[in-house]
Amino acid sequence: LNPNPSDLKITRRPFSALFPRCSGCRNALIALLCLPDVNECGILPQACQGDMQCINQIGGYRCIPAGLYDRPFRPNSPALPELSYPDADPDRTADVFLPGRPRSVEPSYPRVSSPLLCTLGYAPAADGTCNDVDECETNSHHCNPTQVCINTAGGYTCSCTEGYWLIGGQCQDIDECRYGYCQQLCANTPGSYSCSCNPGFNLNPDQRTCQDVEECEEEPCSHGCINTYGSFMCNCDEGFELAADGTSCIDWDECSFSEFLCQYRCVNTPGSFSCICPPGYYLYEDGRSCEDINECDTGNNTCTTQQVCFNFQGGYICLNPLQCQPPYVAVSDNQCMCSAENPDCRSRPFTILYRHMDLSSGRTVPADIFQMQATTRYPGSFYIFQIQSGNDGREFHMRQTSNVSATLVLARPIKGPREVVLDLEMVTVNNVINFRGSSIIRLTIYVSEHPF
């Protein structure tokens, strides 16, 4: 419309009188009158498709057939509505300026019948209304391939799916593992993440936290099981040790650790050990020491009534009745005498006394093992003690302790079982009466096989 300014009549009225029911229309109308129109036909590529021609309009554009302007001109155009202007109030500033009633002039372009016009983002419907255009469904949006199109009333928005965020116009994956979404192990995946647990834990139904596994309920250990956080620990009964696999138990050979567990011999048993003793001994109350069995006292011997049972460490011996070799005669059950009146006795010991003793094998040395002394003393006499025979290995020697006594000393260790017969001689010398005589103690030593 091109109204003649001279024909316009300006009338001032309050804005509320023009739009009594629209409180926000004033600002909208002012914005509409003040904003410059955008020529969509010049800035939008291919605004109209096919043979349609783009015609710019105030606040929008239209697509019409390209040959419409070539059709004959039709002068009968509908009359324009009459514009009225309110009377001007000299005391107030005009709220809005409305054009006056235009004169009836002919248009400078062909008149066409106008179809239903819809705002941008809407399309005419068959019922004469405007329906929203789903740009996402028609693929007429301009979202980035990494973005997701979300249709809105009259338009659309571009967003990112869950697990992505918009950075520089691109949807980039969110690394949820950096923010501690998982209690233990986290694996980032495109648009998501997955949680897992360390060995010994199970993932809870929330798929984020972990629950300790009670491994002992499955009885993984051969003996005892102790549950720990995230694992378990096996223990073994006394006398067993944990194997390399950490679950089974093997017997602990206590006998291999020390040779002093038992006095004689150690026998390993499952989870423990036991001590045994050789024949002739019994196991003491401590379960480790061996004590000699006195077969002579218990009666567990084979000696006859005429024999004498002599016990020693680890055994016994039956001694036959004493038989003195001539020219000796028996004067007691353990002594033989050679009379001075007998010429055959002049170069022989006056008496032979038989004694017996036992000795442990490997006894520490030196050790005093036997003592002898003169029973009859004569004035002016002195005594000499010596080993007359049986000391071939020089394991023994005599140490005189006084004028009338001496001690037999074990000088070297002696191993058994062994029987040693020593003739210990006591020589009596009396220079007053010019007398020299001797007596013999025939000592039989039974050396045991063991050092106990």
Side-chain angles (χ1 to χ4, degrees), residues 144-148 158-161 163-174:
N144 191 286
T146 62
Q147 297 175 337
V148 176
C158 298
S159 180
C160 296
T161 59
Y164 293 85
W165 51 16
L166 190 64
I167 299 179
Q170 299 288 332
C171 290
Q172 297 186 9
D173 175 52
I174 299 175

Side-chain angles (χ1 to χ4, degrees), residues 100-242:
R101 182 176 181 177
R103 294 180 301 170
S104 177
V105 296
E106 296 297 331
S108 61
Y109 53 86
R111 294 178 181 271
V112 295
S113 58
S114 300
L116 179 64
L117 297 180
C118 298
T119 59
L120 185 65
Y122 292 85
D127 59 356
T129 61
C130 293
N131 290 342
D132 175 55
V133 176
D134 191 345
E135 294 85 356
C136 300
E137 183 177 355
T138 60
N139 201 25
S140 59
H141 61 84
H142 297 281
C143 294
N144 191 286
T146 62
Q147 297 175 337
V148 176
C149 176
I150 301 175
N151 185 60
T152 61
Y156 64 92
T157 58
C158 298
S159 180
C160 296
T161 59
E162 185 178 1
Y164 293 85
W165 51 16
L166 190 64
I167 299 179
Q170 299 288 332
C171 290
Q172 297 186 9
D173 175 52
I174 299 175
D175 187 1
E176 294 85 354
C177 297
R178 296 178 57 186
Y179 303 101
Y181 282 20
C182 300
Q183 182 180 3
Q184 291 187 0
L185 303 179
C186 179
N188 186 58
T189 58
S192 184
Y193 66 97
S194 63
C195 297
S196 59
C197 299
N198 294 319
F201 294 88
N202 286 333
L203 194 63
N204 285 325
D206 61 5
Q207 301 298 311
R208 293 182 61 184
T209 59
C210 297
Q211 178 68 33
D212 176 49
V213 177
E214 181 65 45
E215 294 89 350
C216 292
E217 293 181 354
E218 302 176 1
E219 298 182 356
C221 304
S222 59
H223 283 187
C225 179
I226 301 174
N227 185 64
T228 60
Y229 186 70
S231 183
F232 66 97
M233 181 175 62
C234 296
N235 58 4
C236 298
D237 297 337
E238 185 178 1
F240 292 86
E241 61 181 345
L242 201 62

Side-chain angles (χ1 to χ4, degrees), residues 35-91:
L35 292 177
D37 176 55
V38 177
N39 185 3
E40 293 85 356
C41 297
I43 62 175
L44 295 178
Q46 297 181 356
C48 298
Q49 303 293 328
D51 295 334
M52 302 300 287
Q53 181 178 356
C54 179
I55 301 299
N56 184 58
Q57 292 182 337
I58 300 301
Y61 66 94
R62 293 181 62 187
C63 294
I64 62 175
L68 182 63
Y69 289 139
D70 298 335
R71 297 177 183 178
F73 173 73
R74 293 189 302 172
N76 52 344
S77 59
L80 296 175
E82 181 179 357
L83 299 178
S84 61
Y85 296 87
D87 296 335
D89 187 355
D91 298 332

Side-chain angles (χ1 to χ4, degrees), residues 289-367:
S289 304
C290 293
E291 290 290 327
D292 173 56
I293 298 175
N294 193 333
E295 294 86 355
C296 298
D297 290 343
T298 61
N300 188 21
N301 59 77
T302 59
C303 298
T304 64
T305 56
Q306 291 79 20
Q307 294 176 323
V308 176
C309 179
F310 178 78
N311 183 73
F312 57 87
Q313 294 293 318
Y316 69 96
I317 188 172
C318 296
L319 301 177
N320 294 317
L322 180 62
Q323 294 182 355
C324 299
Q325 299 295 327
Y328 289 92
V329 294
V331 293
S332 67
D333 57 356
N334 64 344
Q335 186 176 12
C336 296
M337 180 183 294
C338 193
S339 177
E341 289 80 12
N342 190 341
D344 295 335
C345 295
R346 292 178 182 176
S347 60
R348 297 176 185 271
F350 178 66
T351 59
I352 300 177
L353 182 65
Y354 290 88
R355 292 291 180 89
H356 302 83
M357 68 170 292
D358 64 325
L359 183 67
S360 299
S361 177
R363 183 171 177 175
T364 56
V365 294

Side-chain angles (χ1 to χ4, degrees), residues 19 121 135 173 202 239 259 286 302 320 344 371 407 411 422 452:
F19 302 95
E135 294 85 356
D173 175 52
N202 286 333
E259 59 181 2
D286 60 3
T302 59
N320 294 317
D344 295 335
Q371 187 176 12
T407 299
L422 297 176
F452 45 82

